[in-house]
Amino acid sequence: MASSGGISDQLFVSVKLESPRLAELDLDPHLFGSHPVAGSWDPCKALPLERAAAALWDLSCVVPSQHEPLDFKFVLKQKNDSSQCIVEEGPNRSLGCQSNEVEMRSAVFKLDEGNDVLECKIQVETEMLSPFDLAASWRAHQEYLQPSTVRGAHDVTINTGLEGRAKNGFASGLELDLEKYVVPTPNMDSGVVYAANLTENPRSLLQTGSSSNNDTTKDILYNSTKGDSSPNHYAKTMKGTTEGHEPSLEEHRAMFVDRGVGSPNFGRPTKETFSVSNFKLDSEAKQDMPAAEGAVAAAAVADQMYGPKEDRKLAIVLVGLPARGKTFTAAKLTRYLRWLGHETKHFNVGKYRRLKHGTNQTADFFRGDNREGVEARNEVAALAMEDMLSWMQEGGQVGIFDATNSTRIRRNMLMKMAEGKCKIIFLETICNDKDVLERNIRLKVQQSPDYAEQTDFEAGVQDFKERLAYYEKVYEPVEEGSYIKMVDMVSGKGGQLQINDISGYLPGRIVFFLVNCHLTPRPILLTRHGESMDNVGGRIGGDSSLSEAGQLYSRKLASFVEKRLKSERTASIWTSTLQRTILTAHPIIGFPKIQWRALDEINAGVCDGMTYDEIKKSKPEEYESRKKDKLRYRYPRGESYLDVIQRLEPVIIELERQRAPVVVIAHQAVLRALYAYFADKPLEEVPNIEIPLHTIIEIQMGVAGVQEKRYKLMDAVHHTMGL
C-alpha cells in the first residue's frame, strides 16, 4: 500500500444517494454498518446523509487503507419519528480497500406491505489520499469557517455538494449531432501544423533583412501537413435523471481552496520531482505571484512585469535525441513567455537545414562519421545562432534555440558564440518510454517536411529510426553549465525535473512552467456566461443575473457538455465568483465546479455598472485614454488588460497541468486573455479578439500542438459591447 513518509495512506469514501421522492415522503436517508464506516448495525445509531441538492444526499468519510472488507446498508427514517426505519432490500453492500473505484447501483426500499417501492440511485466512490492531502483539505475547511475580508470572496472555491452524474434533462434543446453547431474559426487554422514551421524564419539564408513568423517562406520550406485533425471521440457511458431549478447564491456552498497552482480539489502532490543542484531563487523570484488582494496587487505586479525587462538576454538551448518532444516543448515555452510580455522567438535549426540542403536528406546525412554531414549541420546551427544573437541585439529578450545539440563540441561552439552576449541555459529532454517514442517517431514522419515527399510511410519510419540510431552513438548528456533536464515528463506517468545553476526571475518562471507541462491530449472548452441583465442594458462590469436568453443558453450548454464529455469522469467546470457564470454552470451536473476569483471580469473600477455612453459623457478623458491604448489603459481604481493577464497566470499553469478536460465559463475580457495564450496572439491584439456570446471555443491540446473548433449554440439576442 502506498504511503507518505512512512505513514499509511487513507481511503476517502464518498457515498451519494439520489431520489426526487424522498423529500415528498419526508424521509431522510442514513447509512449503517460495520465499524468504522458507520460504527454499528444499530439503526438508531445510523449516520445521516447530508442534503446537497434538491434530490441529492451525500456522506463522506475516511477509513484506514489497511482494513477488512466493510459491510453497510442504507436506511430511511421519518424526520419526526426516528424509531421507524426502512432498511433497503437485498444483501449487504461491501466496501473493499481498492483505490479510485466507482460503484453505481440502486437501492430499493419497500415503503409498506403493499407494492409501494422506492428506488434510489446510489454512487459509492473511493480514492486513496495521503495524510498530507487530508490535512490540506482540513486546513481549507478551517479557512472557509473564517472567510477572508477581501471583497468578501475567496480566490478559489469548489462546491462540496457534487451532483451525481446524470442526464441533465435538456436534451430536447440540443440535437445529438454536435457538428451541426460548428462555425468557422476566424483566428486559428483547424488543421495540424508542424510546430517547427511556426518558428523564426532564417533571415541569414533568405537575405530579407528582417524576420517574421508570418511571411510566405512556409511554401519554400515545404510546409506540408498530414494527419487526422478531428477531435477525440468519446465512448458512451451511463446516464440518469435529475431535476433542475434556478439557484440562489446561498445554494452554492463552497469550500475555500488555496490559490496555489496545485489541484484545487484535495491538493494531491504531483508525480514530478525536483532534483536540485545549486538551485537559487533571488528576491525577484519570490515576487512572481501577486498577493490575493484584488486588482490593486495585480496591477502592481503587472507594472513590474511590463516595465523595464532584465538587462541580461537569455538563450534556452534545447538538447536531446530526435522524437523527444523538444520542438513541442519549445513551442509551448515560446507561447507562454510571449503571453507574459517577454519578447521571445523560436529558432529551429532543422528549418535552416531544409532551406540550405533540401528535404531529401537520407539517414546517412546524420551519421557521426559523415564529415561533410557534420560540417553542414554545424554550419546551419551557427547560422541560426548568429540570427538569434542579432535579433537579441535588436531588442529581443529570450531566444529558444531548437536542435539536437547532442555533443559537447556543438554545445561548446554555441557557448563561445554567446559569450558576453547572452546567458545560456540548456534544456535537455529525455524519454525512455518505448511506447511514447514509437508514437513520436510516427508523428514526426507524418508531419515533418523532411518526409513530405516520401510516399512510403513505413520506409520513412525506418529511415528516421536509422537517423535516430546514428544520433544515439554520439549522444552526450548535458553535464556542463546551467541546465534543466526533463526526464520522462512527456509520458504522462510522472517524471523528474533536474536543475543546475539556475537563478533569476525569468529562469525561475521557466522552471515553474516546465514542471507543470505535459503533452497529454485533452480538450479545453472556453465560453462566456449566458446573456446577463447587464448585457441587455449595455452596462459593463456588475454582478447581475441571467436574462431569459442567458438561462436558455445555460440549459443548452449543459446538454452540450453532457454529450461532448460524457465519458470524462475527471472533467471539471471552472467559473468566476460572479453569479452570471455560476448560474450558467448550474444546470451542468456530474462534474465538480470550481470557482476562481482570478476568472472574474476585468475590474472597471469607478466605471463599474456604467454604459459606454455614460462614460463618454461623464468621463471623456477616460473614454479617450482607453480608446488610444485599450491594452494598457487601467480603469480608475480598476484594472487593465495587462493586469488581467498577470492574475490569470495561475489559471494558465493549472490548465497546462490538467490531464482531463476543463470547461471554463468566464467573461469576455478574461477569455480574450486566455484565448490569446492558446492561439499565440500578440498582446496588442488581446483587447480586440472576438469572443461572442453563446459560443463554445474548443481548444485541443496535445502533441500535435493546439487546434480550435467553435460551436455556436444560439444567437445573442442583444449586441454586447466588450470591456
Side-chain angles (χ1 to χ4, degrees):
M1 188 62 62
S3 62
S4 301
I7 305 174
S8 297
D9 287 349
Q10 307 292 305
L11 189 67
F12 175 78
V13 182
S14 172
V15 180
K16 295 180 174 62
L17 180 148
E18 182 182 358
S19 172
R21 289 190 61 196
L22 278 183
E24 300 174 7
L25 297 171
D26 207 27
L27 294 172
D28 286 334
H30 292 65
L31 181 147
F32 71 140
S34 60
H35 181 80
V37 171
S40 170
W41 279 110
D42 184 354
C44 296
K45 298 180 181 179
L47 300 178
L49 275 67
E50 183 179 357
R51 189 167 184 176
L56 186 70
W57 287 257
D58 64 17
L59 173 67
S60 299
C61 61
V62 176
V63 298
S65 59
Q66 301 289 353
H67 65 76
E68 297 178 357
L70 306 170
D71 295 332
F72 66 98
K73 271 193 170 184
F74 293 94
V75 60
L76 304 180
K77 296 184 180 183
Q78 289 285 343
K79 288 187 177 181
N80 299 324
D81 187 2
S82 60
S83 63
Q84 295 185 7
C85 301
I86 306 173
V87 180
E88 72 167 303
E89 300 292 314
N92 295 340
R93 297 172 182 268
S94 181
L95 178 68
C97 59
Q98 291 81 10
S99 174
N100 303 326
E101 290 192 347
V102 179
E103 177 189 357
M104 305 286 290
R105 198 171 76 186
S106 297
V108 177
F109 300 88
K110 287 187 178 181
L111 301 182
D112 53 38
E113 296 181 357
N115 296 322
D116 193 1
V117 175
L118 175 65
E119 183 175 354
C120 303
K121 294 180 180 179
I122 305 295
Q123 175 180 305
V124 180
E125 185 172 359
T126 59
E127 182 173 7
M128 198 67 71
L129 296 176
S130 74
F132 304 105
D133 296 336
L134 294 173
S137 175
W138 175 247
R139 285 196 300 271
H141 178 66
Q142 291 292 86
E143 289 285 347
Y144 176 66
L145 297 179
Q146 300 177 6
S148 166
T149 57
V150 180
R151 294 177 58 193
H154 298 293
D155 286 329
V156 184
T157 57
I158 180 170
N159 64 322
T160 56
L162 174 61
E163 304 98 332
R165 173 63 59 86
K167 186 175 180 181
N168 55 51
F170 302 117
S172 60
L174 188 70
E175 286 78 358
L176 291 176
D177 184 11
L178 299 181
E179 296 301 314
K180 172 184 176 181
Y181 296 90
V182 174
V183 294
T185 57
N187 299 314
M188 287 180 66
D189 295 328
S190 58
V192 176
V193 178
Y194 182 48
N197 288 333
L198 302 177
T199 61
E200 184 63 15
N201 289 316
R203 54 181 171 175
S204 59
L205 296 178
L206 296 173
Q207 298 179 345
T208 60
S210 62
S211 58
S212 169
N213 286 338
N214 300 312
D215 63 20
T216 58
T217 57
K218 291 181 181 179
D219 293 333
I220 301 175
L221 298 175
Y222 303 93
N223 179 14
S224 62
T225 60
K226 302 177 182 179
D228 180 12
S229 61
S230 61
N232 295 334
H233 297 282
Y234 298 88
K236 189 172 183 180
T237 56
M238 117 177 40
K239 302 176 182 178
T241 58
T242 188
E243 59 183 19
H245 69 285
E246 187 70 11
S248 64
L249 289 180
E250 288 73 14
E251 289 183 76
H252 296 284
R253 299 184 304 105
M255 179 190 298
F256 169 78
V257 180
D258 188 81
R259 179 181 184 146
V261 296
S263 171
N265 184 17
F266 290 112
R268 302 176 183 83
T270 61
K271 294 182 179 179
E272 292 83 5
T273 61
F274 272 97
S275 292
V276 182
S277 172
N278 193 23
F279 178 54
K280 297 174 289 185
L281 283 178
D282 57 20
S283 58
E284 279 184 299
K286 297 177 182 178
Q287 300 175 13
D288 55 1
M289 296 281 266
E293 304 297 328
V296 176
V301 178
D303 283 340
Q304 173 189 346
M305 171 160 286
Y306 295 100
K309 301 293 190 298
E310 295 180 6
D311 293 334
R312 184 171 55 177
K313 309 295 184 179
L314 182 62
I316 305 297
V317 176
L318 274 294
V319 178
L321 293 168
R324 264 59 179 183
K326 296 187 302 298
T327 297
F328 293 120
T329 300
K332 288 168 72 75
L333 183 58
T334 301
R335 186 174 71 240
Y336 171 71
L337 294 174
R338 282 175 178 163
W339 185 75
L340 288 179
H342 302 286
E343 191 67 29
T344 306
K345 284 191 182 297
H346 181 185
F347 294 80
N348 181 268
V349 175
K351 199 170 187 179
Y352 284 73
R353 170 180 54 78
R354 284 186 285 273
L355 185 60
K356 188 171 181 63
H357 300 287
T359 61
N360 57 350
Q361 300 295 335
T362 64
D364 286 340
F365 181 80
F366 301 92
R367 292 201 332 261
D369 59 355
N370 181 344
R371 182 175 178 180
E372 292 182 357
V374 172
E375 290 179 352
R377 287 184 281 126
N378 284 337
E379 179 189 14
V380 292
L383 289 173
M385 191 67 175
E386 289 172 357
D387 273 2
M388 187 173 73
L389 295 175
S390 298
W391 168 76
M392 286 181 174
Q393 291 177 351
E394 296 166 3
Q397 186 184 7
V398 183
I400 312 290
F401 189 84
D402 183 7
T404 55
N405 300 313
S406 54
T407 65
R408 292 190 183 93
I409 293 176
R410 165 71 72 83
R411 296 194 292 268
N412 287 337
M413 178 190 80
L414 299 177
M415 286 192 289
K416 288 180 181 179
M417 293 180 67
E419 190 173 353
K421 299 177 182 178
C422 68
K423 163 73 174 177
I424 282 186
I425 295 178
F426 293 113
L427 174 56
E428 184 177 13
T429 59
I430 301 171
C431 179
N432 301 306
D433 190 314
K434 293 182 179 180
D435 292 336
V436 172
L437 290 177
E438 183 66 25
R439 180 194 68 188
N440 288 354
I441 288 171
R442 292 184 169 275
L443 186 65
K444 184 93 170 180
V445 174
Q446 184 183 57
Q447 294 185 349
S448 173
D450 283 347
Y451 297 94
E453 299 177 356
Q454 174 61 265
T455 57
D456 187 337
F457 179 76
E458 292 301 328
V461 171
Q462 184 60 37
D463 180 83
F464 188 84
K465 288 182 177 179
E466 290 179 15
R467 181 196 302 190
L468 179 55
Y470 290 138
Y471 273 111
E472 288 176 336
K473 289 181 180 179
V474 298
Y475 185 75
E476 296 173 300
V478 175
E479 295 177 353
E480 67 274 18
S482 301
Y483 62 76
I484 303 168
K485 291 194 180 191
M486 301 175 67
V487 184
D488 290 328
M489 291 186 66
V490 300
S491 65
K493 301 176 182 178
Q496 188 179 64
L497 191 77
Q498 301 176 6
I499 57 178
N500 179 73
D501 191 23
I502 301 296
S503 63
Y505 169 78
L506 200 50
R509 299 310 307 153
I510 290 171
V511 169
F512 182 61
F513 176 75
L514 292 175
V515 79
N516 285 284
C517 278
H518 59 87
L519 298 177
T520 304
R522 78 281 191 197
I524 294 174
L525 307 180
L526 308 177
T527 182
R528 289 173 66 183
H529 54 79
E531 182 188 69
S532 69
M533 297 306 297
D534 279 339
N535 288 148
V536 175
R539 300 190 177 278
I540 65 175
D543 191 17
S544 63
S545 60
L546 299 180
S547 67
E548 290 187 8
Q551 294 175 27
L552 175 60
Y553 176 69
S554 72
R555 296 193 292 271
K556 285 180 173 287
L557 177 63
S559 181
F560 178 93
V561 171
E562 169 66 25
K563 292 178 176 64
R564 181 65 184 85
L565 304 178
K566 55 188 174 184
S567 67
E568 297 289 344
R569 275 193 57 255
T570 55
S572 56
I573 314 298
W574 296 6
T575 72
S576 71
T577 63
L578 301 176
Q579 66 170 329
R580 54 190 182 273
T581 64
I582 297 173
L583 295 175
T584 302
H586 177 72
I588 304 173
I589 60 176
F591 301 98
K593 297 170 186 173
I594 301 167
Q595 299 171 20
W596 291 74
R597 255 182 68 196
L599 290 176
D600 284 3
E601 180 61 294
I602 186 172
N603 189 336
V606 299
C607 298
D608 189 76
M610 300 174 67
T611 66
Y612 285 114
D613 285 340
E614 291 172 348
I615 296 173
K616 186 175 183 179
K617 292 177 181 178
S618 62
K619 303 179 185 299
E621 299 86 358
E622 297 296 334
Y623 184 87
E624 291 300 323
S625 295
R626 176 180 175 276
K627 191 175 180 180
K628 290 177 181 177
D629 190 351
K630 197 173 177 182
L631 176 68
R632 295 169 181 81
Y633 169 79
R634 179 176 295 144
Y635 285 97
R637 302 180 187 176
E639 292 178 299
S640 69
Y641 268 93
L642 292 183
D643 300 332
V644 172
I645 290 172
Q646 173 59 25
R647 68 166 154 95
L648 283 174
E649 187 186 11
V651 178
I652 287 295
I653 294 294
E654 182 64 14
L655 285 173
E656 285 286 359
R657 198 189 66 82
Q658 291 288 315
R659 298 184 186 273
V662 177
V663 180
V664 180
I665 304 174
H667 310 267
Q668 182 163 244
V670 168
L671 291 177
R672 281 171 168 165
L674 291 179
Y675 179 82
Y677 169 77
F678 294 113
D680 196 15
K681 292 294 181 182
L683 290 179
E684 299 295 337
E685 295 182 15
V686 172
N688 300 312
I689 292 175
E690 180 186 3
I691 307 289
L693 276 174
H694 304 159
T695 301
I696 299 161
I697 302 175
E698 177 177 319
I699 303 293
Q700 278 284 347
M701 297 182 64
V703 293
V706 178
Q707 301 168 258
E708 175 191 339
K709 182 181 286 188
R710 294 194 177 202
Y711 303 88
K712 189 176 185 64
L713 301 191
M714 56 183 285
D715 292 323
V717 178
H718 299 87
H719 177 69
T720 59
M721 297 293 289
L723 280 166

